[in-house]
Amino acid sequence: MSPTRRLAELPCGRRSKWVVLALWLVLLVVAGPLAGKLTDVEDNQASSWLPGNAESTQVLDEQRAFQPVDTAQAVVVYVRDGGITPADKAEAVKDARAFASAPHVVGPVTGPVESADGQALQTIVSVDIGTGGWQDLRPAVDSLRATAAENSLGMTTHVTGPAGVGADQAEAFAGIDSTLLAATVAVVIVLLLLTYRSPVLWMLPLFSAAGALVVAQAVIYLLADHAGLTVNAQSAGILIVLVLGAGTDYALLLTARYREELRRHGDRHEAMAFALHRAGPAILASSATVVASMLCLLVAEMNSTSGLGPVCAIGVLVALVAMLTLLPALLVILGRWVFWPVKPAFGTPEPTRSGRWAHVGEWIARRPRKVWVGTGLALAACCVGLVSLNATGLSTAGSFTGTPDSVVGQQALEAHFPAGTGAPLTVVSAAAESGAVREATRATPGIASTTEPTFHEGRALFRATLTDPPDSQAAKDTVDRLRTAVHAVPNAAAQVGGSTAVILDAGRAATSDNRTIIPLVLGVVLVILALLLRAVTAPLVLIATVVLSYAAALGISAFFFEHVFHFEGQDNSFPLFVFVFLVALGIDYNIFLMTRVREEAVQQGTRRGAVAGLAATGGVITSAGLILASTFAVLGTLPVVGFAEIGFAVALGVLLDTLVVRSVLVTALTVDLDRHMWWPSALSGQVPPPEKELARQL
């Protein structure tokens, strides 16, 4: 018996299955409390998202020497269209004294300051961000909003600025883990019930996937707490969707093969061992592709992107282990009855041999070239929508699906004060040259005013207010002009940071990551496919279909974002995230299909093997795709445009992969290329059956 066959028998042995189940139960008992602490180690501070070598990140690090705590400014705006009254001013002064005692408020409160048109007041409050990132902003901002609104005397009040925006972002992400988990589990339950049509069977993949999620969260918590792994709300949310989606995919593939083998073997232990031996390599290769693709994110400049890689890789690895150990043990322990009401009895015919996908395969095999050319042209037409793609970043208002108070407040602020008020630039330089740096700053177009500098150990820091909204392109252009101006001051070692500089640096880092990581992921996937399929032609063809599918998904998504959802654009990282998830997860279906096609091709030739492979895997690939697409679509339930766009695009891309690309395009290409698909392996030299014989077989 081969070592791989012995390994496959471990989770389903007559005694070892109970050992596997006991080990997992102990693991879950230990991991449960640790998984619940994951949100405690999330790092949502700006530096955890920014590129480590960016100028704005360096300014963030340097300004800590001038102030012992990280702060964000909250701008309280009072507006009365008929004009501010003396009573309004008195109330704002009273509020300013109360603001000083609000949670996490530090330093002096500035204002209230009346606008030039006499219709608005603004008060600036510094809020300690602390170690909790935006979570520590919420109690402070909530208190400021309540105080300002309590005795507003008919004025309209808002809290905006970086602290107000951060608090609204925290509100948008509040309960993200529980919301995503509940929605994802509900979707998986419904689709598993529809897939299996069994009142019991769906529980096993779901329990296994949920167990994998708990263990993955525990491992990630330990690494974040003791090994410096960066976890934020974005990666923690995507982890839930990825583990449940990918884990259920692997469960569907294994369960489908197990059900097939139960018709060929009287002993369920032997049937599972054979199913693991046959389906295991495809599942391993699939997970290896996802893990390798995610680890490619480690080279990203953006800290948020590089941190996402290992978090997702750990999740997929744990899901793999669960589906190859816990799920087989559960299936074998419960026996054939778990498939009730359609139990796969020994000796009964396999229904997929004559099912819907068998007929689709026969239809494709009659005119494969016309099918793949027509399908390819249709997908290419979908790529036209790429002209609408606007992945240049989102403004503050454009990042929310709704209109939170901070967005309304920013609009009011821009209407009555310099638009950059409340989100100034931060300039640091050598103390001796601070005067020259400040003069260069004042002379820069787009700068409204500067503050007096403060000094610490030979360095100086001052703020500069922008004339344009801090998230606008005009403000970003001002940052570039200002950096050029202050960098030119001799011996100043000046640097420019602040929220606008952060947005600018993050966008450029994301663009650089797109150019670097996308080719890297393609190369890694190509190597894995070549090793798995022992060929060159097949991996190149499959990679080409993946890229075409990705481009089509982006094209359709861009059209919907602009003309249906009316989003202002896409985040800079949007193309990369969609690419990594679509390629890493979409290639799963290539692997599921082509490993089975190769297995069948050894026995009956490539053309017939392609039809048989589609018949055997078409149903499970479709079910897996629907579940994975639905789990990613759950991201659209969050009131954050970035998540909604990623969820929509990945869900659409997965559906294209399963229903069109894998099942139709790849099958047609395989039938048309025939044995040449496997070049240069020995299988490429296999003589295909005559056309008449193939026609009789079909």
Side-chain angles (χ1 to χ4, degrees):
M1 185 183 296
S2 67
T4 55
R5 182 63 181 272
R6 283 197 213 96
L7 190 62
E9 290 182 353
L10 281 177
C12 54
R14 298 183 186 279
R15 295 186 182 87
S16 58
K17 63 188 178 187
W18 296 105
V19 175
V20 169
L21 178 59
L23 288 174
W24 267 100
L25 291 176
V26 171
L27 187 58
L28 290 174
V29 169
V30 174
L34 297 176
K37 297 179 180 180
L38 182 59
T39 54
D40 297 338
V41 294
E42 286 183 10
D43 186 355
N44 293 308
Q45 297 184 77
S47 57
S48 71
W49 296 71
L50 293 173
N53 59 351
E55 186 168 330
S56 55
T57 308
Q58 295 172 21
V59 171
L60 276 174
D61 294 337
E62 192 166 354
Q63 74 183 44
R64 292 191 178 100
F66 293 85
Q67 53 191 37
V69 295
D70 288 339
T71 60
Q73 289 187 319
V75 182
V76 184
V77 186
Y78 302 82
V79 178
R80 186 185 292 279
D81 293 336
I84 296 296
T85 67
D88 293 337
K89 293 179 183 179
E91 182 59 33
V93 170
K94 178 183 174 183
D95 288 348
R97 290 195 294 266
F99 293 157
S101 60
H104 303 293
V105 168
V106 295
V109 174
T110 304
V113 176
E114 188 172 352
S115 64
D117 61 10
Q119 295 182 350
L121 298 168
Q122 68 164 347
T123 301
I124 299 177
V125 184
S126 294
V127 180
D128 179 9
I129 299 175
T131 59
W134 59 33
Q135 294 298 337
D136 285 348
L137 295 174
R138 290 183 64 191
V141 171
D142 288 346
S143 176
L144 297 180
R145 284 173 174 157
T147 300
E150 185 177 2
N151 296 304
S152 59
L153 304 177
M155 292 184 291
T156 302
T157 63
H158 307 282
V159 177
T160 185
V165 172
D168 286 338
Q169 288 175 331
E171 179 68 26
F173 281 92
I176 179 175
D177 293 347
S178 57
T179 300
L180 284 178
L181 182 60
T184 304
V185 167
V187 166
V188 170
I189 289 174
V190 171
L191 291 175
L192 285 176
L193 279 169
L194 294 175
T195 299
Y196 290 135
R197 297 170 189 167
S198 167
V200 179
L201 182 57
W202 64 271
M203 298 180 187
L204 305 188
L206 182 61
F207 176 77
S208 301
L213 177 61
V214 170
V215 174
Q217 289 175 327
V219 172
I220 292 166
Y221 162 76
L222 291 173
L223 292 175
D225 196 36
H226 302 290
L229 178 65
T230 299
V231 185
N232 54 37
Q234 173 182 269
S235 55
I238 290 177
L239 175 71
I240 295 172
V241 173
L242 184 62
V243 171
L244 292 179
T248 307
D249 269 11
Y250 303 152
L252 286 171
L253 181 67
L254 178 63
T255 304
R257 191 59 187 257
Y258 173 54
R259 181 164 50 187
E260 188 177 332
E261 297 303 330
L262 283 173
R263 301 180 188 277
R264 300 173 181 168
H265 300 84
D267 185 278
R268 65 181 187 277
H269 302 86
E270 184 179 346
M272 179 56 79
F274 198 92
L276 282 169
H277 180 61
R278 289 297 189 184
I283 297 175
L284 282 169
S286 171
S287 63
T289 304
V290 179
V291 169
S293 299
M294 295 303 167
L295 291 180
C296 288
L297 297 178
L298 285 170
V299 305
E301 294 181 28
M302 287 289 290
N303 288 340
S304 57
T305 303
S306 62
L308 178 65
V311 169
C312 290
I314 291 168
V316 171
L317 280 175
V318 176
L320 168 71
V321 174
M323 296 311 158
L324 293 183
T325 57
L326 177 59
L327 179 62
L330 290 172
L331 285 169
V332 173
I333 287 171
L334 293 177
R336 294 175 189 263
W337 73 268
V338 79
F339 289 93
W340 183 86
V342 185
K343 292 188 291 184
F346 174 58
T348 56
E350 174 56 39
T352 59
R353 297 291 184 183
S354 57
R356 182 185 303 109
W357 287 106
H359 293 303
V360 172
E362 293 168 4
W363 171 76
I364 292 172
R366 293 190 186 100
R367 297 178 181 84
R369 189 161 301 175
K370 289 183 178 180
V371 171
W372 73 256
V373 168
T375 305
L377 289 174
L379 290 171
C382 295
C383 299
V384 174
L386 286 171
V387 298
S388 300
L389 193 67
N390 181 28
T392 56
L394 294 165
S395 67
T396 300
S399 64
F400 295 96
T401 56
T403 309
D405 180 65
S406 60
V407 171
V408 179
Q410 183 63 38
Q411 294 168 349
L413 197 65
E414 293 168 9
H416 301 285
F417 294 93
T421 302
L425 299 178
T426 302
V427 183
V428 293
S429 69
E433 305 299 332
S434 62
V437 171
R438 192 163 171 240
E439 286 302 318
T441 301
R442 285 175 169 174
T444 301
I447 298 297
S449 63
T450 63
T451 64
E452 292 293 329
T454 57
F455 301 94
H456 180 80
E457 296 182 356
R459 297 291 285 174
L461 179 149
F462 63 88
R463 313 282 184 182
T465 300
L466 292 158
T467 58
D468 299 295
D471 54 2
S472 65
Q473 184 58 49
K476 297 175 190 176
D477 294 339
T478 299
V479 171
D480 280 331
R481 288 193 297 269
L482 179 57
R483 282 176 171 171
T484 300
V486 300
H487 291 172
V489 177
N491 304 316
Q495 293 180 307
V496 178
S499 60
T500 304
V502 165
I503 296 170
L504 178 65
D505 291 342
R508 287 176 175 167
T511 301
S512 175
D513 290 342
N514 292 343
R515 291 195 297 264
T516 302
I517 297 175
I518 287 177
L520 180 60
V521 171
L522 283 176
V524 168
V525 172
L526 182 64
V527 170
I528 292 175
L529 285 175
L531 293 173
L532 176 68
L533 300 176
R534 288 163 280 178
V536 172
T537 304
L540 289 174
V541 170
L542 297 179
I543 286 292
T545 64
V546 164
V547 172
L548 179 59
S549 176
Y550 165 71
L554 277 194
I556 298 172
S557 298
F559 175 85
F560 272 82
F561 294 159
E562 180 176 3
H563 300 289
V564 178
F565 302 127
H566 304 294
F567 295 149
E568 71 171 30
Q570 293 79 49
D571 187 75
N572 303 86
S573 299
F574 171 77
L576 175 61
F577 283 171
V578 174
F579 178 84
V580 170
F581 287 123
L582 276 186
V583 170
L585 299 172
I587 212 69
D588 283 3
Y589 308 122
N590 270 322
I591 291 172
F592 294 168
L593 173 64
M594 294 307 290
T595 51
R596 186 57 182 264
V597 169
R598 196 181 197 286
E599 180 184 334
E600 299 289 344
V602 172
Q603 304 297 326
Q604 51 187 324
T606 300
R607 299 192 72 193
R608 185 58 192 164
V611 176
L614 178 62
T617 63
V620 67
I621 288 176
T622 302
S623 299
L626 288 173
I627 289 176
L628 189 62
S630 299
T631 55
F632 268 91
V634 168
L635 290 174
T637 62
L638 298 176
V640 182
V641 169
F643 269 86
E645 290 181 333
I646 290 174
F648 181 90
V650 173
L652 174 64
V654 169
L655 290 177
L656 282 177
D657 267 338
T658 54
L659 299 177
V660 179
V661 178
R662 298 312 142 238
S663 304
V664 179
L665 181 60
V666 171
T667 301
L669 284 166
T670 304
V671 173
D672 195 24
L673 290 172
D674 200 0
R675 61 191 176 91
H676 303 295
M677 193 73 162
W678 311 111
W679 182 86
S681 70
L683 192 57
S684 65
Q686 179 175 310
V687 179
E691 290 295 323
K692 291 183 179 178
E693 181 182 340
L694 179 65
R696 285 197 303 271
Q697 291 176 337
L698 296 177

